[in-house]
Amino acid sequence: MNPLKKKPRTSSYAQAPEKPEWLKVRLPFREKENPVSLVRETVDSGKLHTVCESASCPNLNHCWSRKTATYMLAGDICTRRCGYCDVAFGKPNSLDPEEPRRVAESAAALGLKHVVITSVNRDDLPDGGAAHYKETVLRIRELLPNCKIELLVPDFKAKEENLEIIYSGKPDIFNHNLETVKRLFPEIAPAKKYERSLQVLEYASQKGFLTKSGLILGLGETIEEVKEALLDLRKAGVKMVTLGQYLQPTPTHHPVKEYVHPDRFRELKKYGEEIGFTSVFSGPLVRSSYHADEQAAWRGN
């Protein structure tokens, strides 16, 4: 195991309070009847990473039971440390040139009709890993020409030459998460910039791509700040948005300030639709790639 995989943080917070009932995930199937083992076998045999596991997503069993997973490119060690994220921070390994092929073969083995591809931040690479994304898209197109491809990308520091590489791969959906409100960026994501993330999304929108973004709630934001962030996303041309509850991965991560009630998520869903989003998935367990296929199919309906 890479000794940097779980590099300790310098600060510690109290463990989050007990989850309310609406955040307790229950599996409606018997283990022997679900295809979770098939997804795990496919991912493991391909020596692949998923954000489902690396980011400790609470929906892993639910999504894997539907034979859906979000592939994470470029290793499982990130060059940025964000207060909300459970992906390991440290010095990444070199890119694996065979990874795009293995991702495509895994997606084909599962017979996916909609695949989500993301990655860690790779600020150590001149292109931020953009060419690796493009190669993965091209490989998937070869094996699954009718599969919809959604890219959930980092900001690439908003360098146009890197974004152009991503665009040239022609993904079906360009997704970049804003994550939180403007006031909290310096505390929650000090290596990111609010305006830079909006710039990346605006670039993609201007190129004609269907753009998507997401926010996690419960970090200490106000509803007014969330609405302001949603307005900023619409101004940047974003059409699809997800809103979900932040869950503290460990005591060393930013604490949960509030378990947002489902009624608040419904209120924000209504607001998002009123200001022009074509798809708003809003709820405590919603994540950016949660039921991504349904989000894409539902938009505009």
Side-chain angles (χ1 to χ4, degrees), residues 4 9 15 80 90 96 129 142 157 167 173 180-181 216 221 226-227 233 237-238 240 269 274 289:
L4 293 173
R9 292 166 181 262
Q15 185 63 49
R80 299 184 191 180
D96 179 353
E142 290 175 359
K157 296 186 176 180
Y167 302 151
I173 298 175
T180 191
V181 300
I216 47 176
E221 72 289 330
V226 176
K227 289 182 176 180
L233 287 171
V238 175
M240 306 168 69
K269 173 180 172 64
E274 288 174 348
S289 54

Side-chain angles (χ1 to χ4, degrees), residues 10-277:
T10 57
S11 61
S12 180
Y13 301 98
Q15 185 63 49
E18 183 179 355
K19 298 175 186 176
E21 283 299 313
W22 64 77
L23 279 171
K24 295 179 180 178
V25 179
R26 296 175 177 84
L27 302 181
F29 45 75
R30 294 192 297 273
E31 182 66 22
K32 66 179 182 179
E33 295 176 340
N34 80 75
V36 170
S37 58
L38 173 62
V39 176
R40 185 175 297 282
E41 180 182 352
T42 304
V43 169
D44 289 348
S45 64
K47 298 179 181 179
L48 303 172
H49 300 290
T50 66
V51 75
C52 322
E53 292 182 296
S54 295
S56 304
C57 180
N59 298 315
L60 184 149
N61 281 298
H62 177 78
C63 290
W64 284 22
S65 73
R66 300 175 66 249
K67 291 204 300 184
T68 62
T70 299
Y71 295 99
M72 190 168 73
L73 302 178
D76 60 350
I77 300 174
C78 189
T79 55
R80 299 184 191 180
R81 176 182 284 172
C82 297
Y84 58 85
C85 184
D86 200 29
V87 174
F89 163 78
K91 183 179 179 180
N93 296 319
S94 300
L95 288 181
D96 179 353
E98 294 300 312
E99 185 177 47
R101 174 186 58 78
R102 295 200 305 273
V103 168
E105 290 174 350
S106 173
L110 291 170
L112 300 184
K113 295 181 179 179
H114 186 110
V115 60
V116 182
I117 307 295
T118 190
S119 76
V120 292
N121 285 281
R122 292 298 303 258
D123 295 327
D124 58 312
L125 301 174
D127 70 348
H132 205 61
Y133 268 103
K134 179 181 177 180
E135 179 64 18
T136 304
V137 172
L138 296 178
R139 291 282 191 162
I140 294 172
R141 294 276 189 230
E142 290 175 359
L143 298 181
L144 293 169
N146 296 320
C147 180
K148 298 294 184 183
I149 301 176
E150 177 176 335
L151 298 186
L152 173 54
V153 302
D155 62 26
F156 297 106
K157 296 186 176 180
K159 292 182 178 179
E160 288 192 56
E161 61 271 27
N162 296 341
L163 291 170
E164 286 293 339
I165 296 172
I166 294 291
Y167 302 151
S168 64
K170 298 182 179 179
D172 296 286
I173 298 175
F174 182 100
N175 187 350
H176 172 68
N177 283 335
L178 191 59
E179 303 291 12
T180 191
V181 300
K182 185 175 184 179
R183 176 177 58 84
L184 294 177
F185 251 68
E187 179 182 0
I188 303 301
K192 298 176 64 177
K193 294 182 180 179
Y194 184 84
E195 292 79 8
R196 188 165 68 194
S197 285
L198 291 173
Q199 185 180 13
V200 167
L201 288 161
E202 187 171 16
Y203 281 161
S205 297
Q206 290 174 348
K207 289 287 184 178
F209 288 97
L210 175 61
T211 47
K212 175 180 173 182
S213 191
L215 296 166
I216 47 176
L217 309 186
L219 290 163
E221 72 289 330
T222 67
I223 189 169
E224 291 78 16
E225 288 176 318
V226 176
K227 289 182 176 180
E228 179 182 358
L230 290 173
L231 275 173
D232 286 341
L233 287 171
R234 281 298 299 125
K235 291 176 183 176
V238 175
K239 297 292 184 65
M240 306 168 69
V241 68
T242 58
L243 301 167
Q245 170 70 51
Y246 167 65
L247 299 175
Q248 183 182 8
T250 74
T252 63
H253 288 79
H254 189 81
V256 174
K257 296 298 182 68
E258 177 188 7
Y259 285 127
V260 180
H261 195 276
D263 288 345
R264 179 64 57 84
F265 281 104
R266 284 189 282 269
E267 177 185 350
L268 289 169
K269 173 180 172 64
K270 181 180 179 182
Y271 176 78
E273 292 171 345
E274 288 174 348
I275 63 174
F277 287 104

